[in-house]
Amino acid sequence: MLAQTMREFPKNVSLGSLSNGLIAWLFGVTGPLLIVLQAATQGHLTPSEVTSWIFGIYVIPGLMTLLQAFVFRQPIGYAFSIPGAVLIGATLVHHSYAQVIGAYIVAGLIILLLGISGVVERVMRVLPMPVMMGMVSGVLLPFGVGLFKAVVANPMLNGIPLVVFLLLSFAPGIAKKFPPILGAVIATGIVLVLAHEVHAQGVSFGVAAPHLYKPAWSVSTMGQLVLPLVLTVVAIQNAQGIAVLKSEDYTPPINSMTRWSGIGSIVNAFLGAHTSCIAGPMTALLAGSESGRKEAKYTAAVMLGVLSVLFGLFAPLAASIPHMIPTSTIQMLGGIAMISVLTDSLHMSFVAKFKKSALFSFMITVSGVTIAHIGAPFWGLVGGTCVSFLLEKDDYKKVQVREPSLPRGSSPGPDGGESAIETN
């Protein structure tokens, strides 16, 4: 099946999927990278340590993205935990780099064991879909709002691509042949050049030379990092990606996604990099309608995977990329690409049962509250689920089983679950 998928790739790839893959990649190499660089500065890491960190958080997830895309034919995008990077910056102030790496390894092992046990999949089957989509909508909403903030910040630079997108979207005949999002990307490139907004000063070229690091074991460091890192990966980042894929009518390989998050996190640890996970907003971009037919959207993930690997290989150059173009421009492109996905997620949140639960999940997530170093999306899921038991118990009786279990060893087909490569 893998060989067949690779043979069919040229027929399935489209301008829209390449555009969405490019935008997802741009998302991952701008704001998130700046957070990592800020954390490295807090921890007083050396240039070689920073280079190895960047290599790990882009090359390893990039390879996993390619693997999952070709094996399962789903737009699954791997990246790294952004909340985790914020937490690590503060931890490095009081703990050694080797001790933090030891905590990475323990977190990765726990995530791997959760994937092997199948616990995560069983939990995801219990959570009401509207509650999950309420959380996803809350996560994606700031990206949609950011579109208008970006246009206000620079009306000419960011307004012209938006107008191009709307004009192309207004003509369905043209939009089918020429994706509006691609028009926005091209318009952005032209405006950036004409406005002299591409800044290449101080850019350094070179191939990354990653290092292998020896961990140290500290109960104090593990106590501060392990639980938040595990919950961030399993209950926040991966949960977002799983909900997005379900909303697009896929059967996500939950156990496999969890296992590979654990494996990637362990490999990353020895490179001095933190946990790998499913990138919720990036997966949402990959799964957007612009990426084409359902069975072809995996090609957007392939584009993301290739660009991520190349980006990590040139880590010294990577550190300069976020400064080359305005942050507001990336914000604008992401907001445009997020329109269709945000529309679908909001619709699924409030169209049927568990409306109050979905609303609580949405509001808690949008609030941005952080408790015990664990971000709002997790508490949105917890709060929404609690409300569903308190206020909407009758809805559980009305909901039929969403995903009947497959016989062990059977295959659900190219868009199905894990048995495409292995059994649960």
Side-chain angles (χ1 to χ4, degrees), residues 321-342:
I321 294 293
H323 307 287
M324 291 181 65
I325 60 178
T327 304
S328 67
T329 299
I330 304 299
Q331 195 177 25
M332 174 271 299
L333 285 174
I336 289 176
M338 203 67 75
I339 290 173
S340 63
V341 183
L342 186 55

Side-chain angles (χ1 to χ4, degrees), residues 359-412:
L359 180 61
F360 270 83
S361 177
F362 175 74
M363 291 191 299
I364 293 170
T365 304
V366 171
S367 74
V369 296
T370 299
I371 303 173
H373 301 293
I374 302 170
F378 172 76
W379 299 116
L381 282 178
V382 172
T385 303
C386 290
V387 170
S388 71
F389 284 116
L390 291 172
L391 302 182
E392 297 176 314
K393 287 188 291 186
D394 290 343
D395 284 353
Y396 281 100
K397 301 174 184 177
K398 302 173 185 176
V399 176
Q400 297 178 347
V401 176
R402 294 193 300 268
E403 297 174 11
S405 300
L406 289 165
R408 185 173 291 276
S410 66
S411 174

Side-chain angles (χ1 to χ4, degrees), residues 27-102:
F27 247 78
V29 301
T30 49
L33 180 57
L34 289 175
I35 293 172
V36 170
L37 294 176
Q38 183 180 6
T41 301
Q42 282 182 276
H44 303 289
L45 300 186
T46 66
S48 64
E49 290 170 338
V50 175
T51 296
S52 191
W53 190 352
I54 294 174
F55 177 90
I57 58 176
Y58 286 103
V59 172
I60 304 305
L63 292 174
M64 293 194 298
T65 297
L66 290 171
L67 174 68
Q68 299 268 286
F70 280 119
V71 169
F72 297 110
R73 298 186 70 158
Q74 297 187 26
I76 303 171
Y78 279 86
F80 56 90
S81 170
I82 298 173
V86 175
L87 179 62
I88 288 156
T91 305
L92 283 169
V93 175
H94 303 290
H95 301 265
S96 71
Y97 195 38
Q99 290 172 335
V100 169
I101 289 171

Side-chain angles (χ1 to χ4, degrees), residues 56-233:
I57 58 176
Y58 286 103
V59 172
I60 304 305
L63 292 174
M64 293 194 298
T65 297
L66 290 171
L67 174 68
Q68 299 268 286
F70 280 119
V71 169
F72 297 110
R73 298 186 70 158
Q74 297 187 26
I76 303 171
Y78 279 86
F80 56 90
S81 170
I82 298 173
V86 175
L87 179 62
I88 288 156
T91 305
L92 283 169
V93 175
H94 303 290
H95 301 265
S96 71
Y97 195 38
Q99 290 172 335
V100 169
I101 289 171
Y104 292 164
I105 294 173
V106 174
L109 285 171
I110 292 174
I111 295 168
L112 175 59
L113 291 173
L114 288 173
I116 293 172
S117 70
V119 170
V120 177
E121 182 176 26
R122 288 194 288 272
V123 170
M124 289 299 167
R125 288 180 182 274
V126 172
L127 289 175
M129 176 58 76
V131 171
M132 295 179 66
M133 294 313 300
M135 178 270 288
V136 170
S137 299
V139 170
L140 300 184
L141 182 65
F143 294 97
V145 173
L147 164 62
F148 301 101
K149 291 182 178 179
V151 172
V152 171
N154 196 326
M156 186 65 67
L157 178 63
N158 299 322
I160 291 176
L162 176 59
V163 171
V164 170
F165 173 82
L166 293 174
L167 289 175
L168 290 174
S169 300
F170 185 71
I174 298 176
K176 288 181 180 178
K177 299 178 181 178
F178 190 83
I181 189 64
L182 178 60
V185 171
I186 294 173
T188 299
I190 294 172
V191 175
L192 283 171
V193 172
L194 293 178
H196 304 289
E197 289 286 355
V198 180
H199 308 289
Q201 297 90 346
V203 174
S204 59
F205 294 90
V207 178
H211 299 276
L212 292 178
Y213 294 94
K214 183 179 179 180
W217 311 104
S218 165
V219 175
S220 173
T221 310
M222 287 188 279
Q224 184 170 339
L225 276 181
V226 171
L227 182 59
L229 285 177
V230 171
L231 288 177
T232 297
V233 170

